[in-house]
Amino acid sequence: MAVTLLQTPSFILPSPVSVAQALAAEAGGLLVNSWVTLYESLIGLGIACMLAFGTALVMDRWQLLYQSFYPLLVISQTLPVMVLGPLLSLWFGFGMAPKIILVILMSYFPIIVAFSEALGKVSTDQIRFLQTMGAKNWQVYRILKIPQGMQGFFAGLRIAATYCVSGAIIGEWLSAEAGLGYYMIRVKNGYQIDKVFAAIFCVIILSLALNLGTWALQKGYYRLLIQGRKPTS
């Protein structure tokens, strides 16, 4: 109604009807570019998960490493990721590698912070009890610390699942031949703002889908954990 009454030019703010029409007209191209962005996001998020998981365990096991490495992690977040884009393109070319690295950089921090803090909050009484029963360090982690810390891991993963798409989009803005970020730049240069909004809608859908996938993964993990701990008859 506002766009119609104010007669806003479509190259400034298109109406929702125009955006819906653009979605229908560009469905094929948006689907292809969405797949590219999703692929980059999933690869980067998966690598970030593995790196964050391993690093958090090492930091929790050796507190000297935690005290040395954690401040560097915090300081690293003061540097805008976008400024690294041109350097990554220079170092790794114009393929998928710079986009995946940007996704890793944006996803790694929330996962490792949430997971390491959850590991540090595990009850020391429970740890001592397992140790008095003869449990070794790796058994303490397998039986107690990792299962309890996974709540923090999944909390960080839900945040990273939203950020990772943004990381891929930023990389595609800087240098790409496909993806939603590349599509946005191309249609923006042609003042096809309705198609820009259609691409933004696809970005929202991808972010929500990854967030929902993280939730399903968490539910599946705890279901398997409970089933694995049920006494056998």
Side-chain angles (χ1 to χ4, degrees):
M1 289 177 61
V3 171
T4 303
L5 292 175
L6 299 175
Q7 296 182 348
T8 307
S10 60
F11 63 87
I12 294 179
L13 182 64
S15 68
V17 175
S18 299
V19 175
Q21 291 173 345
L23 275 170
E26 295 287 314
L30 287 170
L31 185 62
V32 172
N33 287 288
S34 295
W35 167 247
V36 174
T37 301
L38 179 62
Y39 180 78
E40 295 166 350
S41 301
L42 288 174
I43 296 296
L45 183 62
I47 295 175
C49 284
M50 291 186 289
L51 291 175
F53 188 88
T55 309
L57 291 179
V58 172
M59 288 169 54
D60 184 76
R61 178 65 182 87
W62 290 282
Q63 286 298 305
L64 181 60
L65 288 177
Y66 178 89
Q67 295 169 1
S68 302
F69 189 62
Y70 190 84
L72 297 177
L73 281 175
V74 176
I75 293 172
S76 70
Q77 297 308 297
T78 63
L79 180 66
V81 175
M82 184 175 285
V83 303
L84 298 176
L87 290 175
L88 294 175
S89 297
L90 179 65
W91 294 337
F92 300 100
F94 297 94
M96 283 193 176
K99 291 79 172 174
I100 292 175
I101 293 173
L102 280 174
V103 173
I104 294 171
L105 292 176
M106 294 191 71
S107 304
Y108 177 77
F109 182 76
I111 300 175
I112 188 173
V113 168
F115 187 38
S116 61
E117 288 186 358
L119 289 172
K121 292 179 180 178
V122 176
S123 171
T124 55
D125 292 335
Q126 291 177 314
I127 296 174
R128 291 194 187 97
F129 174 76
L130 286 176
Q131 290 173 341
T132 57
M133 299 295 291
K136 296 179 172 58
N137 284 326
W138 67 269
Q139 291 174 317
V140 172
Y141 278 93
R142 182 180 64 84
I143 297 171
L144 178 64
K145 300 200 78 170
I146 291 178
Q148 290 194 15
M150 288 302 287
Q151 183 175 359
F153 177 85
F154 284 115
L157 182 58
R158 282 195 297 272
I159 299 173
T162 305
Y163 284 170
C164 69
V165 179
S166 301
I169 294 294
I170 291 173
E172 291 166 356
W173 282 347
L174 298 173
S175 62
E177 297 179 354
L180 288 174
Y182 167 79
Y183 178 88
M184 286 182 190
I185 295 296
R186 183 168 60 84
V187 296
K188 184 267 296 181
N189 291 337
Y191 292 95
Q192 298 171 304
I193 307 303
D194 54 343
K195 295 179 181 179
V196 175
F197 275 91
I200 292 173
F201 179 81
C202 293
V203 172
I204 295 172
I205 294 299
L206 288 182
S207 299
L208 291 175
L210 288 175
N211 198 283
L212 182 61
T214 301
W215 176 82
L217 186 65
Q218 181 179 7
K219 294 295 183 182
Y221 169 78
Y222 283 113
R223 187 176 294 112
L224 290 174
L225 186 66
I226 292 172
Q227 290 177 354
R229 292 189 174 184
K230 286 181 179 179
T232 57
S233 57

